[in-house]
């Protein structure tokens, strides 16, 4: 190397060599000395699994990255806190991993900041080298049928938000006084709702379900939950663990019509294992006589749940005074095609079911965050290629807003790692220009102060966490969630 | 459906009782006792007079060899203690097996493939593990959840391969389509 090479050239060449040599096993480990390279400032919008897993992968793979996570609510963790059912605490163990990530020096959490209103996307792009949208799906698909707005009809998202303590749903106050409930949709969320409505209170009261909803469920008179799908048994969207929980639910009995399963056995031969095992369980319940303990339990059961197939809602029927739901009218369908792509086609027949509560569980839906971000209204996602937002360099996405609102935490985890790998590739290949320093959150603090927004730090959340756990301890629960945003903010700042 | 495959060696296929005995012994770290009737399949020294009690190393101190094959195909040999589970072992050695639910059978992120020679030496997965395996992408005949693989002396030399990450993340390869 010539003695006359400038220091800059030598540094640049050195960096090229180091990055080339250090790339092993897809781990983009680069060694920066603090004098030669600015850190890479990354902003993540949304602190659910998508946000945290994306952050985790970036921080683990690249020692020069600093990640700021912005969250609309004062509290982190998204659907892990507000979506996973209270009686599935093991699923929430991921919070421990997320907490470790939040505690890293190069990671900072900013709760109570709404991107799109408190801070604009433009301001984020100026402050960070890369912005990753992980804000999930806060809307829900509507049925598009008359009567949908009647009192007594709820989206599953709101219903789940209510029993999980989402502040926006704390006053939902659903009327649980009728004896029959219809749930539309047959995915895991539908089964969660059914299970929470029918679970023995002795089990629920030991979970982190909110006390107000526990009291409502304890007092309810629900005897029958009908879980309805437009297609057949081979298309149910739920998975076997949740179905088994329903079949084994104490104090209840499953009601499946064996006629729905005629001809299904032959279809089982060539299908993949997960669908096969799920269908076999359904068939066992529908067609076989229950054995020993099951037979006793079902005979003694005071409550029942059923799966109804090939029914598509066409109208929600009101009470005589026109104010509340009294029932629902279905069109009977038949299947065209088979397997996952079978379509439900109308037959012309109709059927009515009386009920006092309808929960619409046909899917969550993402909403656009800002006019500057492309959004596909039909699919309900941000258009992207492996997480790189189309036609918008420097912008990425992970999780439900990237691929649609289905899948479990593990699905989102893999998806988030994919987006993180793309960001890392783009840093390495200079598609993302990180040669100029960016200010990160330092540029935003002044703006937030001017706008009267006080962010909640992760240790602020930990104060909220500690109080919730203490309150829960007093009544034998893992935690009693705070429901009021103002209360959370006061506590976080104390 | 029966996922078990025939053993590839000439050894007699161990009965499930034998396997249960081994895994019980490993879990409870009993040395030299039989929890279930029948021979325990530990690395007992060959004794001509079986009624004489040989001095045996306590289970918990027996070290075996395990090889992880990571997602890029790199082989990573490690030492493991009998009784440890493969997920914890992976974490100890910085191998990227996530274990989101912390070994409580509530996810499939510790999914591994077990090398042929050892698959049948493991006790059969219980229903809860099978249910979670259903959720794992790229499921194969030799798939297991790492948190349920408890290391025993007869697993010395086992290879655990991490599935390659692909674009298809859906349960069972499902691609959502509107209907």
């Amino acid at each position: 190397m010539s003695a006359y090479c400038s220091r800059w050239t030598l540094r640049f060449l050195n960096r090229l060599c180091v990055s080339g040599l250090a790339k092993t096993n897809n781990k983009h480990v680069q060694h920066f000395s603090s004098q030669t390279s600015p850190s890479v400032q990354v902003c993540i919008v949304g602190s659910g699994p998508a946000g945290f897993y994306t952050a985790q992968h970036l921080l683990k793979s690249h020692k020069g990255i600093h990640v700021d996570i912005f969250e609309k609510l004062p509290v982190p963790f998204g659907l892990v806190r507000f979506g996973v059912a209270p009686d599935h605490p093991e699923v929430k163990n991921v919070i421990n991993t997320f907490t470790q990530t939040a505690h890293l020096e190069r990671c900072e959490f900013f709760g109570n900041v709404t991107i799109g209103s408190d801070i604009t996307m433009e301001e984020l792009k100026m402050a960070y080298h890369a912005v990753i949208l992980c804000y999930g799906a806060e809307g829900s698909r509507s049925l598009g049928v008359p009567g949908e707005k009647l009192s007594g009809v709820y989206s599953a998202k709101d219903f789940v938000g209510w029993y999980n303590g989402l502040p926006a749903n704390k006053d939902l106050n659903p009327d649980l006084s009728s004896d029959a409930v219809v749930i539309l949709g047959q995915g895991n969320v539908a089964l969660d709702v059914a299970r929470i409505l029918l679970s023995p209170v002795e089990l629920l009261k030991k979970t982190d379900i909110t006390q107000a909803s526990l009291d409502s469920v304890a007092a309810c008179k629900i005897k029958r939950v009908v879980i309805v799908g437009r297609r057949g048994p081979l298309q149910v969207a739920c998975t076997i663990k949740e179905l088994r929980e329903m079949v084994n639910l104490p104090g209840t009995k499953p009601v499946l019509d064996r006629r729905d399963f005629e001809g299904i056995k032959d279809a089982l031969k060539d299908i993949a294992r997960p669908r096969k095992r799920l269908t076999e369980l359904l068939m066992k319940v529908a067609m076989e006589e229950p054995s020993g303990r099951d037979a006793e339990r079902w005979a003694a059961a005071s409550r029942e749940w059923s799966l109804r197939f090939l029914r598509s809602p066409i109208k929600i029927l009101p009470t005589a005074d026109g104010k509340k739901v009294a029932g629902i009218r279905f069109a009977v369908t038949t299947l065209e095609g088979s397997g996952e792509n079978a379509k439900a086609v109308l037959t012309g027949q109709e059927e009515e079911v009386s009920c006092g509560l309808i929960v619409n569980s046909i899917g969550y839906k993402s909403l656009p965050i800002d006019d500057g971000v492309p959004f596909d209204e039909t699919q309900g996602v941000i258009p992207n290629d492996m997480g790189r937002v189309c036609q918008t360099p420097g912008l990425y996405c992970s999780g439900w807003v990237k691929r649609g609102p289905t899948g479990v935490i593990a699905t989102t985890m893999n998806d988030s790692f994919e987006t993180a790998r793309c960001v890392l590739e783009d840093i390495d290949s200079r598609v993302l220009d990180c040669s100029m320093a960016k200010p990160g959150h330092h540029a935003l603090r002044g703006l937030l102060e001017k706008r009267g927004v006080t962010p909640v730090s992760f240790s602020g959340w930990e104060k909220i966490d500690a109080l919730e756990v203490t309150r829960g301890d007093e009544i034998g629960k893992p935690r009693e969630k705070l429901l009021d945003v103002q209360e959370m903010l006061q506590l976080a700042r104390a | 459906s029966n996922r078990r495959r025939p053993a590839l060696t000439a050894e007699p296929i161990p009965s499930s009782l034998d396997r249960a005995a081994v895994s019980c012994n490993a879990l409870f770290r009993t040395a030299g006792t039989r929890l279930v009737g029948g021979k325990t399949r530990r690395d007992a020294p060959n004794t001509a007079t079986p009624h004489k009690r040989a001095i045996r190393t306590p289970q918990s101190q027996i070290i075996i060899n395990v090889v992880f094959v990571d997602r890029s195909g790199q082989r990573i040999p490690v030492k493991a203690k009998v009784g440890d589970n493969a997920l914890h072992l992976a974490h100890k050695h910085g191998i990227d097996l996530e274990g989101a639910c912390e070994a409580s059978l509530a996810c499939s992120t510790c999914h591994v493939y077990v090398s042929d020679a050892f698959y049948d030496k493991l006790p059969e997965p219980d229903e809860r593990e099978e249910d979670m395996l259903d959720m794992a992408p790229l499921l194969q005949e030799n798939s297991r959840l790492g948190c349920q693989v408890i290391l025993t002396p007869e697993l010395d030399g086992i290879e655990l391969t991490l599935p390659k990450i692909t674009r298809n993340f859906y349960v069972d390869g499902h691609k959502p389509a509107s209907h």
Side-chain angles (χ1 to χ4, degrees), chain A residues 256-270:
Chain A
L256 298 184
D257 190 336
R258 56 192 312 136
R259 289 170 296 180
D260 286 323
F261 293 86
E262 278 159 14
I264 297 280
K265 194 160 180 194
D266 296 323
L268 283 184
K269 272 186 302 242
D270 298 313

Side-chain angles (χ1 to χ4, degrees), chain A residues 25 53 56 60 90-91 93-94 96-97 230-231 239-241 244 272-277 340-344 385-386 403 406 408 410-411 413-415 417-418 421, chain B residues 1 3 70 72 74 94 96 98 100-102 104-109 127 129-135 137 139 165-167 169-172 174-179:
Chain A
N25 301 335
Y53 273 129
Q56 176 187 306
K60 191 177 74 158
E90 328 76 21
V91 177
N93 284 342
V94 285
N96 298 331
T97 315
R230 284 190 296 174
R231 297 188 294 171
T239 51
I240 195 169
K241 172 173 175 264
R244 225 185 270 288
R273 179 192 125 132
R275 175 62 69 188
K276 188 166 178 208
R277 291 181 76 240
E340 311 294 327
N341 297 319
K343 285 201 182 316
D385 178 21
M386 296 217 294
R403 286 171 39 256
T406 59
V408 294
T411 327
M413 180 189 86
N414 285 320
D415 172 271
F417 290 170
E418 177 189 68
R421 281 196 297 276
Chain B
S1 69
R3 275 197 313 117
D70 76 9
S72 65
Q74 191 183 36
D96 72 337
E98 189 67 29
C101 76
E102 298 177 0
S104 54
L105 284 174
C107 79
S108 58
T109 60
E127 193 174 71
E129 183 184 348
E130 298 274 35
D131 287 353
M132 294 325 298
L133 279 170
D134 277 359
M135 309 283 285
L139 193 66
I165 296 166
T166 64
R167 291 207 58 197
F169 306 128
Y170 283 98
V171 171
D172 178 25
H174 163 72
K175 290 205 166 21
S178 61
H179 57 274

Side-chain angles (χ1 to χ4, degrees), chain B residues 19-33:
Chain B
R19 278 199 293 254
V22 173
S23 53
C24 279
N25 279 331
L27 280 175
F28 296 109
R29 301 203 167 123
T30 53
T33 56

